[in-house]
Amino acid sequence: MAVVSESRVAIAGLGAVGKVIATELDKGIPGLVLTAVSAKNKEKAAEFVGQLERAVPVVSLEELADHADVIVECAPSELLPQIAAPVLAAGKKLVVLSVGALLAHPELRQTAIDNGGSILVPTGALIGLDAVVAAAEGTIHSVRMTTRKPLRGLAGAPFLVENGIDVGTITCPTKIFSGTAREAAKGFPANLNVSVALSLAGVGPDHTMLEVWADPTVTRNTHHIEVDADTASFNMTIENIPSENPKTGLITARSAIALLRKLGAPVKIGT
């Protein structure tokens, strides 16, 4: 019987998403083993990994590539280049959750190409990316997305700060942004990575149109997508239950786990 080797996985960032992924890996995913983590607060990170069945080292972001074959980025978007560059230069796999930051750093794609590395983007808090990817093999005429979020899920976004919008004063559903996915990534870097993932799957960040509504009547992060293509027209809605971080849905971590599980699966479902 052939011996199947395990792929080593490291996690950059131990917030609401990173901890869930680390815990699931510690429980056991066939073909994968958690080998390192990195976090801003090393003491808290050491306390967390000390509770795992298999303790792993807490290392710097730059050292992650030395400890793993697959690195999962769960960190603030501004740290993506620092995490990604050594991983891709080493020809390894990088799972990116801060997808919006990829638009600001196109050089990372070239680094992956030059060194045989891979950038993997989970579906995240979205729905139907496989259908969009399939439609993009033909011609997509338009992609529109409308996002509705509870007020606390939008607080502090750069777009709101720059435009003097205080979501705390909003008492009814209010459209606060209309534009492209590229513009949304700049204005809402912690909130709308889903729009960038959608754009990369389909017609690109400059042709994927987006509306953002601050909605005190909803308790879930809601995304509605409309796609018109030469092969199909479809619309989809997902309502995500927020995690302990109101900007991020619980399904985001599960999406990354599903992607990791699929890496070594003998049967892979979905495009």
Side-chain angles (χ1 to χ4, degrees):
M1 176 181 289
V3 177
V4 179
S5 61
E6 291 182 314
S7 292
R8 303 171 300 157
V9 182
I11 298 174
L14 285 177
V17 173
K19 286 181 179 178
V20 172
I21 297 172
T23 300
E24 198 67 23
L25 283 165
D26 187 56
K27 290 179 183 177
I29 294 179
L32 303 176
V33 59
L34 180 67
T35 52
V37 300
S38 183
K40 182 178 181 180
N41 189 321
K42 291 190 175 183
E43 289 185 5
K44 285 188 176 181
E47 180 180 349
F48 171 76
V49 297
Q51 299 170 0
L52 300 176
E53 289 292 324
R54 175 177 173 172
V56 298
V58 180
V59 302
S60 69
L61 294 176
E62 293 79 7
E63 294 175 304
L64 286 173
D66 297 329
H67 290 264
D69 310 298
V70 182
I71 291 80
V72 185
E73 175 272 317
C74 309
S77 59
E78 63 269 18
L79 295 179
L80 180 63
Q82 186 179 350
I83 297 166
V87 172
L88 299 175
K92 297 186 175 182
K93 293 181 173 66
L94 178 70
V95 178
V96 176
L97 273 68
S98 299
V99 189
L102 288 175
L103 300 184
H105 297 281
E107 74 279 2
L108 295 176
R109 181 177 185 275
Q110 191 59 50
T111 301
I113 292 171
D114 292 342
N115 298 280
S118 299
I119 299 172
L120 309 176
V121 177
T123 299
L126 208 54
I127 187 172
L129 275 194
D130 54 348
V132 179
V133 168
E137 291 293 328
T139 300
I140 296 179
H141 305 304
S142 64
V143 179
R144 302 191 65 85
M145 176 174 168
T146 301
T147 289
R148 293 179 181 271
K149 288 207 171 196
L151 304 185
R152 67 193 189 109
L154 291 164
F159 178 84
L160 302 183
V161 174
E162 292 168 7
N163 290 276
I165 300 173
D166 180 5
V167 291
T169 65
I170 293 176
T171 58
C172 62
T174 303
K175 183 168 68 174
I176 57 174
F177 173 85
S178 180
T180 67
R182 186 183 299 278
E183 292 166 337
K186 293 178 181 177
F188 303 87
N191 308 88
L192 292 172
N193 284 298
V194 289
S195 68
V196 177
L198 175 64
S199 76
L200 295 178
V203 293
D206 298 310
H207 299 285
T208 301
M209 306 309 297
L210 185 71
E211 285 186 3
V212 180
W213 290 68
D215 192 340
T217 70
V218 300
T219 58
R220 299 183 177 187
N221 302 324
T222 303
H223 307 295
H224 179 74
I225 301 159
E226 299 176 9
V227 178
D228 181 36
D230 62 349
T231 52
S233 294
F234 49 94
N235 61 81
M236 309 167 284
T237 300
I238 185 170
E239 298 179 1
N240 297 309
I241 300 172
S243 65
E244 63 185 58
N245 176 356
K247 296 180 175 65
T248 304
L250 287 173
I251 201 170
T252 299
R254 297 300 173 185
S255 175
I257 292 166
L259 184 152
L260 290 172
R261 196 180 298 277
K262 194 173 182 179
L263 290 178
V267 178
K268 297 181 169 85
I269 307 301
T271 301

